[in-house]
Amino acid sequence: MTDQQPALEQQPSLYTRLGGYDVIYQFAGAVLRKTMGHPAIGHIWAHMSESTFQKEHINFVDFLSEHWGGSAKYRGRDMVTAHRGMGLTEVHWQAVLDCLEECYNDYDLAANLRKEVNDFLIKFKPAVIGSPSYRDVVLAHPEMDPAKGMKSVGVIWPKHEKSSAQDATPEPQK
């Protein structure tokens, strides 16, 4: 190339740089294992069946793989729907980040990859944290038909549901 700048080489996808599906599968399992044992969030899995856990694990792997440039297809619910009614707080969010950090150390993940993974995950915080607990809403509204959902008694989360749901679905990384 003469007067033109050389074409920038495209960096491999995060999926590839992390090691592909099998590594992401193992890492996601390690993260779930650590979160199950964390005193602030372990209770979330206390009454989860084996098959539900396995489905959650594979959905987590497929979600990460798809968004990080792999060929897997995520078929789970959007992040708002999956977390609405869980009553997750900043304490829960920080516990997950702490567990991730432990797994980064266990896997000796490079600092630049840790940052990239964290930057990706942080985009989902508004879709994960802040919903009232569905149980609390039902108990606070004795007139509520639980099958009709929180909206039936005027509890809307997120406040701007449409924009939050869109924000919670970033484009897959290439």
Side-chain angles (χ1 to χ4, degrees):
M1 304 189 131
T2 54
D3 292 338
Q4 298 175 357
Q5 282 190 292
L8 295 175
E9 288 190 34
Q10 187 172 352
Q11 177 173 247
S13 68
L14 180 57
Y15 175 87
T16 299
R17 288 179 286 130
L18 288 171
Y21 192 89
D22 291 341
V23 172
I24 293 170
Y25 180 92
Q26 291 298 320
F27 181 78
V31 170
L32 290 170
R33 185 177 303 107
K34 287 213 187 275
T35 57
M36 287 169 135
H38 194 285
I41 55 176
H43 68 278
I44 292 169
W45 292 271
H47 300 285
M48 184 180 285
S49 71
E50 178 182 24
S51 68
T52 300
F53 174 82
Q54 290 171 347
K55 182 177 179 181
E56 179 177 292
H57 180 206
I58 206 70
N59 274 338
F60 186 35
V61 173
D62 289 349
F63 178 81
L64 297 175
S65 296
E66 178 180 333
H67 285 285
W68 291 346
S71 61
K73 178 72 178 150
Y74 174 67
R75 291 178 174 79
R77 299 168 295 163
D78 66 87
M79 292 299 109
V80 169
T81 302
H83 295 91
R84 180 184 289 119
M86 288 184 71
L88 300 175
T89 67
E90 187 65 38
V91 169
H92 300 115
W93 181 259
Q94 189 56 54
V96 170
L97 293 180
D98 292 346
C99 291
L100 278 167
E101 194 63 36
E102 289 180 34
C103 288
Y104 296 156
N105 292 336
D106 292 348
Y107 280 78
D108 199 26
L109 193 64
N112 63 320
L113 292 175
R114 292 174 189 223
K115 181 177 177 354
E116 196 168 342
V117 170
N118 281 342
D119 289 349
F120 170 79
L121 294 173
I122 286 168
K123 294 175 187 177
F124 295 94
K125 185 176 180 181
V128 174
I129 301 303
S131 168
S133 158
Y134 193 65
R135 177 182 176 269
D136 291 348
V137 172
V138 170
L139 294 177
H141 298 276
E143 77 287 0
M144 178 181 167
D145 176 351
K148 292 188 178 178
M150 296 188 295
K151 287 182 185 178
S152 70
V153 292
V155 178
I156 310 284
W157 184 84
K159 297 293 184 207
H160 300 93
E161 187 174 343
K162 185 173 180 158
S163 64
S164 293
Q166 290 170 343
D167 292 344
T169 311
E171 292 299 313
Q173 297 180 358
K174 301 294 178 197

